[in-house]
Amino acid sequence: IQRMLDAGEVTCTELCAYYLKRIEKFGGKDELNCVCVVNENALSEARASDGRGEKLPLRGCFVLVKDNVDIAGMPTTAGSVALANHIAREDASVIGMLKKLGAVILGKTNLTEFANFLTQGMPGGFSSLGGQVVSAFAKDKPVSGSSSGSAVAMSAGLCSFSVGTDTSFSVVGCAAENGVIGYKPPAGALPSRGIVPITKHFDSPGFFTKSMDDLRIVLSALFG
């Protein structure tokens, strides 16, 4: 995609429109129920990226983010009806980093409520606000841990890469169950400010990609 952008074969605006159409078709409650809200400014941000023409490391990357990570002006609910009207005032640190590197945020993904530590026996991918996330492979297939919405969105090709969070196994477990690549950086390698916490000693943002090459691009941009 980045080679196509550099060659002028596609624009960020066209890519954004493509992903938004896929989200509309597959991401909602009647299908995979993995996307809970779309960034209404995504297209305008993509147009701005085209206008600048900067060759930033994550230019052309369109990202879906687990709904326990703050994005300024968008809801951060952790899947709970109790936080349905909570709007984030500023970006989580990791979101600010991604934006500076050229990524555009497409929206937020459903999750297991409060990242799975609400009650014993909590169904993976279920929340009181969002309902049940559905596997892209089969409706009765488990979607695993709390980052399931981000993993399913990646497996269905609704984004360039997606952001989850991992305290003990949510990113790597969801990746294994949904047929994508998942990476949790060592705790503390990326800042956790702006993420609804389970335990700050172990919480970490993590990433889902389609391939190891894509993951290398993301990590190289973030860590150099």
Side-chain angles (χ1 to χ4, degrees), residues 14-205:
E14 290 169 338
L15 285 168
C16 187
Y18 166 78
Y19 283 123
L20 290 173
K21 285 181 181 178
R22 285 190 66 80
I23 289 170
E24 182 180 12
K25 184 173 181 179
F26 299 113
K29 286 187 177 294
D30 293 335
E31 292 293 331
L32 303 178
N33 195 32
C34 57
V35 178
C36 55
V37 62
V38 169
N39 176 14
E40 61 185 17
N41 298 315
L43 269 175
S44 62
E45 292 170 13
R47 291 190 194 100
S49 180
D50 284 327
R52 291 190 299 270
E54 299 173 289
K55 291 186 178 180
L56 296 171
L58 296 182
R59 178 177 176 238
C61 291
F62 293 87
V63 187
L64 286 166
V65 179
K66 186 177 178 179
D67 190 23
N68 64 341
V69 180
D70 284 343
I71 298 171
M74 296 184 69
T76 302
T77 72
S80 174
V81 293
L83 296 178
N85 297 316
H86 172 248
I87 305 298
R89 295 182 179 181
E90 58 186 27
D91 290 331
S93 295
V94 68
I95 299 303
M97 294 168 71
L98 293 174
K99 287 182 176 180
K100 286 180 181 178
L101 291 165
V104 172
I105 306 301
L106 288 170
K108 306 290 283 289
T109 59
N110 282 319
L111 67 156
T112 313
E113 190 164 347
F114 284 112
N116 219 28
F117 278 79
L118 189 67
T119 183
Q120 292 290 329
M122 189 77 172
F126 177 81
S127 69
S128 61
L129 185 62
Q132 180 64 53
V133 176
V134 178
S135 170
F137 294 98
K139 288 188 175 182
D140 60 348
K141 188 181 187 303
V143 291
S144 190
S146 68
S147 296
S148 52
S150 293
V152 168
M154 189 69 259
S155 70
L158 307 188
C159 53
S160 308
F161 67 90
S162 61
V163 176
T165 63
D166 192 313
T167 300
S168 60
F169 110 122
S170 186
V171 168
V172 291
C174 289
E177 199 71 63
N178 291 285
V180 294
I181 302 297
Y183 178 71
K184 177 195 178 183
L190 290 172
S192 60
R193 186 188 63 80
I195 297 174
V196 179
I198 294 177
T199 167
K200 291 185 178 181
H201 296 291
F202 297 106
D203 294 342
S204 176

